[in-house]
Amino acid sequence: VLELTLNDGKSRFHGDLQIGLKTGHITDYETFEDFYAAYDRQVKFFTKHFVDLANMGQEMRAANYAKLVKTPFTEACIEKGLNLDEGGAVYNYGCIETAGAGVVADSMTAIKKLVFEEKLISKETLEAAIAADFVGYEKERQLLLNKAPKYGNDDPEADAMMHRVLESFWGDIKNYKSVRGQEFTGACSLLSGGIFYGDATWATPDGRHKGEPLGNTI
């Protein structure tokens, strides 16, 4: 979602195909809060589509008895006579493992600190560097990598940004219900998923090249 926010809702991987909302480019925002508000709008736009797909997946798994081992070992499923994905458990939340939250938090912190506050990198330069996957912009990439705090190092600013990024998504998914019966909740146990998600993600403002893995944010 951050990738699309930086490029007016367009995917660089698909010839600038319009996928998200037309919220503008990084060069269009006067303040960091303006930029973050655009990101938040994109999150809400995609969340509605995402939970619809998640519910379809749960319905398909329930119809095909996809959890024959897990279901009888989950409390209440046998008593109710229901598959785990049909709402047989005591707790029936839709748990969403959230990919890329650390990359987004680190990128947001870098944009806020280096572009809008300290102005070590101009908005125009950041735009060009991201589009070029940092080819010809190694100096700027090193600034993004090393001069902005990173989540997971007990830095209050970076950790606060991670909280804000997760709240943007998890605060919104709570408005939707899983077909299991209860609301959606968030999780961060991405494990090895960061490898293939990263393979399909463009360069990001934390200094990460396109195709590189997304960090595990558990």
Side-chain angles (χ1 to χ4, degrees):
V1 175
L2 173 64
E3 178 187 331
L4 296 171
T5 307
L6 287 163
N7 195 39
D8 198 26
K10 297 175 182 177
S11 168
R12 297 187 196 275
F13 270 106
H14 301 91
D16 277 345
L17 177 68
Q18 191 73 43
I19 295 176
L21 300 173
K22 293 181 71 65
T23 51
H25 295 262
I26 185 67
T27 52
D28 296 322
Y29 303 106
E30 292 298 319
T31 69
F32 172 76
E33 291 304 321
D34 291 339
F35 174 70
Y36 194 92
Y39 166 76
D40 198 53
R41 281 183 59 206
Q42 295 277 11
V43 167
K44 288 178 170 55
F45 172 76
F46 281 104
T47 297
K48 174 62 171 68
H49 297 292
F50 177 79
V51 295
D52 286 346
L53 289 170
N55 275 329
M56 286 171 63
Q58 288 176 9
E59 289 172 335
M60 289 165 67
R61 288 194 296 273
N64 289 281
Y65 301 99
K67 294 179 179 172
L68 284 174
V69 175
K70 188 179 281 189
T71 289
F73 287 98
T74 301
E75 186 179 355
C77 286
I78 291 177
E79 289 83 353
K80 292 182 183 178
L82 292 173
N83 188 307
L84 184 61
D85 280 314
E86 290 178 302
V90 175
Y91 305 103
N92 289 291
Y93 300 101
C95 186
I96 304 301
E97 295 189 1
T98 307
V103 170
V104 174
D106 289 345
S107 295
M108 287 291 190
T109 304
I111 291 170
K112 182 175 183 288
K113 187 177 182 67
L114 302 182
V115 177
F116 285 98
E117 292 179 354
E118 298 181 3
K119 301 188 187 303
L120 293 177
I121 303 173
S122 71
K123 292 181 285 186
E124 291 77 13
T125 299
L126 180 65
E127 168 106 341
I130 295 296
D133 188 23
F134 296 110
V135 175
Y137 295 91
E138 186 59 24
K139 175 186 173 183
E140 288 76 14
R141 192 176 84 88
Q142 290 300 322
L143 284 172
L144 294 166
L145 279 171
N146 300 306
K147 292 298 184 181
K150 300 291 188 285
Y151 166 72
N153 295 285
D154 292 327
D155 181 275
E157 184 179 7
D159 290 351
M161 187 64 77
M162 179 65 157
H163 182 276
R164 185 176 185 182
V165 165
L166 289 173
E167 183 59 29
S168 286
F169 181 38
W170 293 355
D172 197 39
I173 60 174
K174 287 193 300 186
N175 296 319
Y176 299 92
K177 279 197 172 183
S178 164
V179 292
R180 294 173 182 166
Q182 291 172 288
E183 67 188 28
F184 281 93
T185 62
C188 271
S189 52
L190 186 58
L191 303 178
S192 63
I195 297 171
F196 59 81
Y197 285 125
D199 190 52
T201 303
W202 198 263
T204 44
D206 60 341
R208 182 192 140 275
H209 280 295
K210 76 172 180 179
E212 290 185 348
L214 307 180
N216 188 4
T217 49
I218 192 168

